[in-house]
Amino acid sequence: MKIIKLNNETRKEILNTLATRSHTDNDEYTKIVNDIVENVRLNGDKAVFEYTNKFDKADINENNFIVTEEEIKEAYSLVSDRLISIIRNSIANIKAFHECQLRQSFFKTEDGIILGQRVLPLETVGLYVPGGKAAYPSSVLMNVVPAKVAGVKCVQIATPVNSEGKINPNTLVAAKEAGADIIYKMGGAQAIAAFAYGTDMVKKADKICGPGNIFVALAKRAVYGSVNIDSIAGPSEILVLADETANPRFVAADLLSQAEHDEMASAILVTTSDTLAQKVKDELNAFIEKLPRKDIITSSINNYCYLVVADSMDDATKLVDDIASEHLEIVTKNPFETMTKVHNAGAIFLGEYSSEPLGDYYAGPNHVLPTNGTARFFSPLSVDDFIKKSSVISYSREALEPVYQEIVDFAKAEGLTAHANSIAVRFE
């Protein structure tokens, strides 16, 4: 890790380095994924089972592909009552927050005109839950709960198995508690393809959501168009914007909370205080020696950690907007005021007791967030991701007659005479 002074040159260095973290620009992996997707499209369940055997070393077939109630019951026996209680509390918070996002259909009527918008939930969604370096029951909650709040009828989950054909029990309990309808034992690109095209045993999804590794990301990109997707998730990232009032030990701990995800994760401090930057560096070094995921953290910190010192808070917030981080913590004397100067971030955490893991697990707002700078134009996963909207238009003859000639003339101006005729014929 290094402490650097913010200027035009270092700004470019940081942005260029972060841009290299995109893992979807890989021709070798793209070909592998495209072959998998095409095989599943053509051969369905047979291909899914073959890839599960090849990649996960598990004998999965039509008899054990879908998780049974017996397996879920077994999972409950392996999960502590304490964790089950925490999961339920987290679900309550997530549900309460996402219920505030619900949209209503509306209609506006005036003199023979009815205009409106009809809001309906998607019929079927496919949610991917990673199961590689770690299991993420929190991701189950963040995907399933808003889908259920939206009213999705069939919520399917795909998650990898171990060599014994088992799914992490924490994941199964979280899925059951959140209300998932079907859980499949499949992972990787083959799971995404199965959701996209459907198989004899997997219902074709209207949308696929959820993070994953490079194979999952590339598969989502490959099937987009045949099915909708949430986004192509990149490596995790955190940015802490702080002034001299921040607690360096808290800041260092928060930076490492994302660095432990994987070697490509980024952790950045932007501050107006040289003293804070140095103290945070010292705390980082001390923490790293004690944390179990030291190797992953060290790789992330060495490659994608910056401790940036800016001359002013205005300069600092401009860099924050350029980076558009997935997670942004603001730890300043007046964080709410500082927030008004920032425009680009996936989730914003205000004050020294609002650390990023609060959002990951418990507070309620979704932790599925835009990465790789896409917070400039993307939003967190929400109820809106699981609905569709239709416009409603109804004119009576009396409402159309005063304006029909304007529509006819507009259509003729575009050279679309059949459009014009469709209106004019009603007044011959």
Side-chain angles (χ1 to χ4, degrees), residues 274-285:
D274 290 285
T275 302
L276 178 70
Q278 185 57 56
K279 288 183 177 179
V280 169
K281 182 177 181 179
D282 294 340
E283 293 286 355
L284 285 170
N285 288 326

Side-chain angles (χ1 to χ4, degrees), residues 213-245:
N213 62 17
I214 184 172
F215 296 100
V216 171
L218 289 171
K220 287 171 75 174
R221 186 172 71 176
V223 302
Y224 178 61
S226 297
V227 63
N228 196 5
I229 63 172
D230 52 352
S231 64
I232 299 175
S236 189
E237 53 203 33
I238 185 171
L239 192 156
V240 179
L241 175 60
D243 61 16
E244 70 284 354
T245 66

Side-chain angles (χ1 to χ4, degrees), residues 131-151:
K133 293 179 179 178
Y136 298 105
S138 59
S139 288
V140 177
L141 308 185
M142 292 294 181
N143 280 274
V144 176
V145 173
K148 283 296 183 179
V149 169

Side-chain angles (χ1 to χ4, degrees), residues 115-406:
L115 302 176
Q117 181 172 273
R118 190 181 182 205
V119 178
L120 292 172
L122 301 180
E123 184 77 18
T124 303
V125 297
L127 306 179
Y128 189 85
V129 178
K133 293 179 179 178
Y136 298 105
S138 59
S139 288
V140 177
L141 308 185
M142 292 294 181
N143 280 274
V144 176
V145 173
K148 283 296 183 179
V149 169
V152 175
K153 292 182 179 178
C154 182
V155 176
Q156 308 178 102
I157 286 179
T159 191
V161 293
N162 62 21
S163 59
E164 297 177 350
K166 299 283 189 179
I167 294 172
N168 183 285
N170 293 343
T171 298
L172 286 183
V173 168
K176 178 67 174 179
E177 291 290 331
D181 297 296
I182 308 173
I183 306 169
Y184 300 103
K185 298 177 181 179
M186 60 178 178
Q190 62 270 24
I192 301 303
F195 280 150
Y197 301 114
T199 71
D200 289 340
M201 298 188 73
V202 180
K203 291 186 68 173
K204 175 176 168 54
D206 300 312
K207 188 166 188 173
I208 300 172
C209 299
N213 62 17
I214 184 172
F215 296 100
V216 171
L218 289 171
K220 287 171 75 174
R221 186 172 71 176
V223 302
Y224 178 61
S226 297
V227 63
N228 196 5
I229 63 172
D230 52 352
S231 64
I232 299 175
S236 189
E237 53 203 33
I238 185 171
L239 192 156
V240 179
L241 175 60
D243 61 16
E244 70 284 354
T245 66
N247 183 316
R249 186 170 175 80
F250 292 177
V251 171
D254 293 354
L255 292 173
L256 295 178
S257 73
Q258 295 307 293
E260 76 168 344
H261 267 295
D262 63 61
E263 294 85 353
M264 300 293 285
S266 72
I268 298 172
L269 166 67
V270 181
T271 181
T272 51
S273 170
D274 290 285
T275 302
L276 178 70
Q278 185 57 56
K279 288 183 177 179
V280 169
K281 182 177 181 179
D282 294 340
E283 293 286 355
L284 285 170
N285 288 326
F287 273 129
I288 290 171
E289 291 303 315
K290 301 175 183 177
L291 293 169
R293 294 167 70 86
K294 177 181 175 180
D295 291 344
I296 293 174
I297 290 172
T298 299
S299 179
S300 167
I301 291 295
N302 286 343
N303 292 304
Y304 302 108
C305 176
Y306 290 94
L307 307 177
V308 184
V309 180
D311 289 332
S312 68
M313 189 54 68
D314 283 343
D315 289 343
T317 54
K318 287 176 184 176
L319 178 61
V320 169
D321 273 342
D322 287 342
I323 294 173
S325 185
E326 176 188 17
H327 306 100
L328 170 64
E329 291 187 8
I330 300 179
V331 193
T332 59
K333 185 176 181 180
N334 190 337
F336 285 89
E337 180 182 345
T338 305
M339 180 181 65
T340 64
K341 301 178 180 180
V342 175
H343 303 90
N344 302 329
I348 302 173
F349 301 79
L350 301 175
E352 65 179 2
Y353 288 98
S354 304
S355 63
E356 187 279 334
L358 177 64
D360 272 353
Y361 297 111
Y362 206 77
N366 211 287
H367 80 196
V368 180
L369 302 166
T371 56
N372 284 338
T374 59
R376 299 190 313 276
F377 45 83
F378 279 147
S379 303
L381 192 73
S382 71
V383 169
D384 285 348
D385 286 285
F386 299 103
I387 63 169
K388 58 184 178 181
K389 293 168 280 188
S390 299
S391 300
V392 178
I393 302 167
S394 176
Y395 269 56
S396 67
R397 177 184 175 87
E398 291 74 21
L400 182 61
E401 187 169 14
V403 298
Y404 90 88
Q405 192 60 53
E406 293 184 20

